[in-house]
Amino acid sequence: MASFTLHGIPVSRGIAIGRAHLLAPAAMDVKHYLIGEVQVEAEVQRLQNAICKVREELQTIRKTLPKESPAELGAFVDVHLLILSDPMLADMPLDIIRNRQYNAEWALVTQIDELSAQFDEIEDPYLRERKADVQQVGERVLKVLTGTALRLPEVDSEGTSFANIVVVAYDISPADMLQFRDRAFAGFVTDLGGQNSHTAIVARSLDIPAAVGMNNASRLIKQDDWIIIDGDAGVVIVDPASVILEQYREHQVQLLRSRRKLGKIKKIPAITLDGTVITLLANIELPSDCATAMESGASGVGLFRSEFLFMGRIGTQHELPTEDEQFESYRQAVTAMKGRPVTIRTLDVGADKPLNVEEQTALNPALGLRAIRYCLAEPQLFLTQLKAILRASAFGPVKLLIPMLAHAFEIDQTLAMIDRAKQELRSEKIKFDEHIKIGAMIEIPAAALALPMFIKRMDFLSIGTNDLIQYTLAIDRVDHEVAHLYNPLHPAVLYLLSTVIALGRKAGIPVSVCGEMAGDVKFTRLLLGMGLLEFSMHPAQLLAVKQEILNSDLDGLIAQTKKILRNTEPSAIAAAVNQMRANPTPSHKSCL
């Protein structure tokens, strides 16, 4: 067989080499037929039995999860259990069977397709990819209905390296991945998925090389093919030539050595060669992520996305989490961080990602009623969350972060709502931090260009580079047709970034970056040269960024960065940034 290469989305760094193991293809293509009226209740019972069996399987996986497993794995199984119990998936297909007399498989697929179409309207990439969770739960039920079992490869008792496998699938759920925990597997390749898919998140948490969004990989790759995954490039090489195989094996050894060295700097403070202290924080989605953040050596949580509490509910608005339920999740995160600060971002949902899946979306969802705009339009929902966050602040240092602010009146209304939440808690004699820090996400160009009104009113700023780049360049970053226009090094983006950092430092107000740029080592020295002292990223990226910091001399980087910012040619800027990392300015001081 001739060697060939596939290109996808890099989601977890490293090199994986192994034999391909193909999982059964998606079970969504099922038989469609009508049943007689006398068969309806029997068909309803058949679907209910399948749902019960899947629930038992997931509960068993959850209970038998080893204590040392990454926290994300258990949390994802919990999400699948919630989806399985949601009326939109557990009850609606039963109504379809009764009303339309579809067979169980057809009824289930019909409802999954309906839910999937609603998720497709969501603009936010992280939340839009939660469609995969619904499909994975549905597929698990379908496999029970159709008798399709998940077959796993057998390995020798010692689990030696020659038994390593690369899992190739159309898609794979976190629950299925857990069933590989006792197998020797090297990496994952999936047709579906993106940077924020659960496959990607789990791969990063397990530190396993993976490439997703490969389209036809599961059809083109054959069982037992030799495969190389280049996790840094998102490239999969199938049936590589011996010389290529040896090159990648050598590269793999070098990466392992580098990772061992990274482990040695876990407890070393992030200080540049010239003695500047840099704060490294973690981005989390779930309270259980705090364990990974602590293990990575994070100084705190720079971004706790609170959406997971709300978006796990795919039903109607009356099912939104209560104040007590929210408080308990926030409290868990705060106590888990053991005195380190936790920055909680208020709800970032809206027209593009409705809490009620039956709501219609806006024509331009990224520009619609979302984030703080949505919260101010739903004051009771906002007040409930604010009170829950404030209550959690009694258990450790908490900061409040407000997304998508652009206007002074929005800031003033938000601060008024926070004051009202405080007053209600005082009346209820509930403790909270009276002096809680309140910050703004800078993710709209208007906010970056009108920064003085933010500095006047807020305690800190956090730059969301993902949206700032999207809005500055007027592109949808999840639209494949314009994805090539998404450029963090565009002169306009760099101008806004440097301006916010410089004005914040001049005013003595803390500024952090919590978008993808913060965790990308290609940009670490550039951001340092702009004067950034606080980075927040996925925990898996933290040690690599720390290594860049430990080997950086700010004096030299500041001079190089000023020169880059004066340049207006994108190609020259990119070359200069690459040069900055390849040949950092030498220092008379030695690296730790």
Side-chain angles (χ1 to χ4, degrees):
M1 176 181 173
S3 176
F4 61 92
T5 302
L6 300 172
H7 296 265
I9 301 170
V11 294
S12 185
R13 295 178 176 178
I15 303 295
I17 300 172
R19 294 278 192 181
H21 175 76
L22 273 64
L23 292 188
M28 293 298 181
D29 187 14
V30 297
K31 292 182 179 179
H32 294 184
Y33 58 88
L34 296 172
I35 57 174
E37 192 168 340
V38 295
Q39 299 172 284
V40 167
E41 288 310 313
E43 201 69 4
V44 165
Q45 188 62 50
R46 191 163 74 90
L47 180 53
Q48 287 177 325
N49 290 343
I51 291 172
C52 286
K53 185 171 181 180
V54 169
R55 183 178 294 109
E56 290 171 1
E57 288 177 355
L58 292 175
Q59 288 171 340
T60 298
I61 291 170
R62 189 68 176 89
K63 289 176 183 176
T64 58
L65 192 62
K67 291 182 180 179
E68 65 273 14
S69 296
E72 289 96 331
L73 296 181
F76 292 154
V77 176
D78 289 341
V79 169
H80 281 204
L81 281 166
L82 280 172
I83 291 172
L84 189 66
S85 301
D86 194 284
M88 296 296 286
L89 198 67
D91 296 340
M92 288 299 292
L94 305 181
D95 292 341
I96 292 173
I97 293 173
R98 293 187 176 108
N99 297 329
R100 304 186 201 175
Q101 294 182 224
Y102 287 3
N103 65 302
E105 292 87 347
W106 188 8
L108 181 60
V109 169
T110 298
Q111 181 61 11
I112 291 170
D113 288 344
E114 174 65 25
L115 291 172
S116 297
Q118 292 168 354
F119 273 94
D120 282 336
E121 297 299 319
I122 295 175
E123 188 274 335
D124 183 270
Y126 178 82
L127 296 170
R128 185 166 71 177
E129 286 175 4
R130 300 291 69 80
K131 173 182 76 171
D133 294 304
V134 176
Q135 292 176 330
Q136 288 164 358
V137 172
E139 183 172 344
R140 205 171 185 88
V141 176
L142 283 172
K143 284 183 176 180
V144 172
L145 286 171
T146 59
T148 307
L150 176 64
R151 295 184 179 180
L152 304 177
E154 297 299 326
V155 299
D156 66 310
S157 59
E158 296 181 359
T160 49
S161 59
F162 66 79
N164 278 358
I165 61 169
V166 172
V167 178
V168 180
Y170 178 73
D171 193 17
I172 183 169
S173 73
D176 286 338
M177 292 172 78
L178 284 175
Q179 295 184 42
F180 284 88
R181 65 178 181 262
D182 297 324
R183 304 299 206 274
F185 62 97
F188 299 99
V189 178
T190 59
D191 295 351
L192 299 185
Q195 280 284 347
N196 297 306
S197 65
H198 275 168
T199 303
I201 294 169
V202 172
R204 285 194 291 266
S205 70
L206 290 172
D207 203 15
I208 294 173
V212 303
M214 305 295 288
N215 294 320
N216 295 313
S218 64
R219 294 184 200 143
L220 297 173
I221 297 171
K222 307 300 181 186
Q223 192 77 9
D224 292 325
D225 277 349
W226 273 105
I227 288 180
I228 297 172
I229 300 177
D230 185 336
D232 294 284
V235 168
V236 172
I237 304 172
V238 183
D239 194 27
S242 57
V243 63
I244 299 296
L245 195 58
E246 286 306 312
Q247 287 175 353
Y248 270 96
R249 279 180 173 150
E250 178 59 30
H251 186 27
Q252 191 178 43
V253 170
Q254 292 173 356
L255 286 175
L256 288 173
R257 287 174 184 159
S258 298
R259 288 188 179 185
R260 290 193 191 102
K261 289 180 181 178
L262 282 180
K264 294 177 181 178
I265 66 172
K266 189 179 296 183
K267 296 182 180 179
I268 296 176
I271 302 175
T272 62
L273 291 171
D274 55 287
T276 303
V277 178
I278 306 298
T279 301
L280 297 181
L281 305 167
N283 294 345
I284 67 170
E285 283 85 29
L286 303 159
S288 53
D289 293 345
C290 291
T292 309
M294 292 286 285
E295 176 62 23
S296 69
S299 299
V301 171
L303 176 63
F304 179 5
R305 299 180 178 95
S306 62
E307 289 79 43
F308 84 97
L309 270 174
F310 296 78
M311 301 308 295
R313 321 296 179 99
I314 56 175
T316 57
Q317 194 150 339
H318 72 268
E319 296 172 346
L320 293 178
T322 64
E323 179 186 322
D324 286 341
E325 186 180 348
Q326 291 186 62
F327 157 69
E328 184 56 30
S329 290
Y330 305 143
R331 184 196 65 78
Q332 287 177 15
V334 172
T335 55
M337 291 308 295
K338 299 179 180 178
R340 294 168 176 81
V342 176
T343 302
I344 303 174
R345 184 177 69 185
T346 56
L347 191 61
D348 189 1
V349 296
D352 65 316
K353 36 189 170 179
L355 294 179
N356 185 341
V357 295
E358 295 179 357
E359 291 177 3
Q360 286 197 343
T361 59
L363 291 176
N364 293 297
L367 308 178
L369 190 68
R370 56 168 292 200
I372 191 57
R373 302 170 183 178
Y374 186 95
C375 287
L376 291 175
E378 297 286 345
Q380 191 54 53
L381 176 150
F382 192 30
L383 186 66
T384 298
Q385 184 179 35
L386 290 174
K387 290 176 68 177
I389 295 172
L390 286 169
R391 287 171 59 187
S393 71
F395 293 83
V398 171
K399 297 179 181 179
L400 253 173
L401 182 59
I402 313 300
M404 208 178 174
L405 288 165
H407 303 275
F409 72 84
E410 289 177 330
I411 304 175
D412 294 338
Q413 288 178 11
T414 298
L415 294 176
M417 287 292 291
I418 294 170
D419 286 340
R420 178 179 168 186
K422 288 181 175 181
Q423 187 55 48
E424 289 193 11
L425 291 177
R426 292 188 194 104
S427 300
E428 297 166 19
K429 297 187 178 350
I430 296 175
K431 293 181 179 180
F432 63 92
D433 179 5
E434 289 278 1
H435 306 290
I436 189 170
K437 300 293 184 183
I438 303 166
M441 288 277 288
I442 304 300
E443 48 193 339
I444 299 175
L449 294 170
L451 205 66
M453 72 180 182
F454 287 83
I455 291 173
K456 179 181 177 181
R457 293 169 170 83
M458 310 303 278
D459 298 312
F460 67 96
L461 304 172
S462 184
I463 305 173
T465 53
N466 301 356
D467 272 337
L468 184 63
I469 296 166
Q470 170 174 257
Y471 291 132
T472 302
L473 302 182
I475 61 161
D476 182 348
R477 55 192 165 101
V478 297
D479 184 338
H480 295 298
E481 293 184 350
V482 294
H484 64 286
L485 299 175
Y486 185 85
N487 181 14
L489 296 179
H490 189 286
V493 173
L494 297 186
Y495 171 76
L496 293 177
L497 272 172
S498 60
T499 299
V500 173
I501 294 169
L503 289 178
R505 288 197 64 175
K506 184 178 180 181
I509 183 171
V511 179
S512 67
V513 169
C514 63
E516 286 298 311
M517 284 186 74
D520 193 328
V521 292
K522 293 194 300 290
F523 307 125
T524 302
R525 288 194 166 102
L526 177 66
L527 293 171
L528 288 172
M530 290 181 183
L532 185 70
L533 301 178
E534 195 169 292
F535 296 67
S536 190
M537 67 205 74
H538 189 282
Q541 301 163 326
L542 197 141
L543 290 180
V545 170
K546 181 187 282 189
Q547 185 180 52
E548 290 288 307
I549 291 168
L550 293 174
N551 289 294
S552 295
D553 187 330
L554 281 193
D555 290 338
L557 292 180
I558 291 170
Q560 292 179 69
T561 301
K562 285 180 179 178
K563 187 176 180 181
I564 289 171
L565 293 175
R566 288 195 295 268
N567 206 319
T568 57
E569 288 299 322
S571 58
I573 292 172
V577 170
N578 289 335
Q579 187 71 13
M580 178 185 280
R581 189 181 179 208
N583 298 303
T585 300
S587 170
H588 297 297
K589 300 182 181 182
S590 60
C591 176
L592 290 171

